[in-house]
Amino acid sequence: MPRPLGELEDAVMSRVWQWNRPVTVREVLEDLQEERQIAYTTVMTVLDNLHQKGWVRREQDGRAYRYEAISTRAAYSAALMNEAWSSSDNEAAALVAFFGMMSPEQLEALRDALRVLQLNGVRLDDAGER
């Protein structure tokens, strides 16, 4: 998994994920400027860095590039959770602690996810078997 996104990288990627289409530096810049002062070259550099790190692909459009996410926000979040969980010295205890922090809405989302896995043929009753 690539390293976690920095604050500005996350702000830029959030827009790319939200819009779910190829975007230009100018579009991201104008949206970011509603929240903070930021230069065109800063956004261009961040998008270039995200491209080099494998988060976005880009395609030439005239003199500019259009950037598009390579994977989804959900996949990124899942990879972060998996990385954190895998680095624990007691994975079961980490899961119990994590589930204990969840809101009722998050627990319902977890139940829904488990139902989807079962519908897709993933057996949850045999540890380690699919």
Side-chain angles (χ1 to χ4, degrees):
M1 178 187 112
R3 69 175 182 79
L5 297 172
E7 179 189 344
L8 188 52
E9 290 173 328
D10 186 67
V12 169
M13 280 305 301
S14 290
R15 277 133 181 104
V16 175
W17 281 319
Q18 178 185 355
W19 296 336
N20 197 28
R21 61 172 173 76
V23 300
T24 64
V25 171
R26 176 81 44 208
E27 290 173 310
V28 175
L29 171 71
E30 289 172 358
D31 200 60
L32 284 172
Q33 284 179 331
E34 293 179 14
E35 300 172 359
R36 63 176 89 190
Q37 288 187 342
I38 191 165
Y40 180 94
T41 53
T42 301
V43 177
M44 184 175 60
T45 298
V46 169
L47 279 164
D48 185 59
N49 290 342
L50 289 167
H51 174 256
Q52 290 178 22
K53 293 176 182 179
W55 288 106
V56 295
R57 66 178 136 259
R58 68 183 179 193
E59 207 170 290
Q60 190 98 31
D61 184 13
R63 292 179 21 187
Y65 286 108
R66 289 198 172 271
Y67 296 86
E68 186 174 18
I70 288 177
S71 76
T72 65
R73 175 74 154 193
Y76 170 68
S77 296
L80 288 178
M81 289 188 288
N82 187 56
E83 180 73 18
W85 179 53
S86 297
S87 68
S88 172
D89 60 351
N90 186 336
E91 292 177 348
L95 282 175
V96 169
F98 179 66
F99 295 152
M101 292 183 228
M102 294 176 116
S103 69
E105 294 81 14
Q106 290 170 320
L107 286 169
E108 189 57 35
L110 175 62
R111 286 185 197 93
D112 290 344
L114 291 172
R115 281 191 285 274
V116 168
L117 285 173
Q118 287 178 317
L119 288 173
N120 289 332
V122 176
R123 294 184 57 191
L124 303 174
D125 55 344
D126 295 327
E129 292 184 26
R130 290 189 172 208

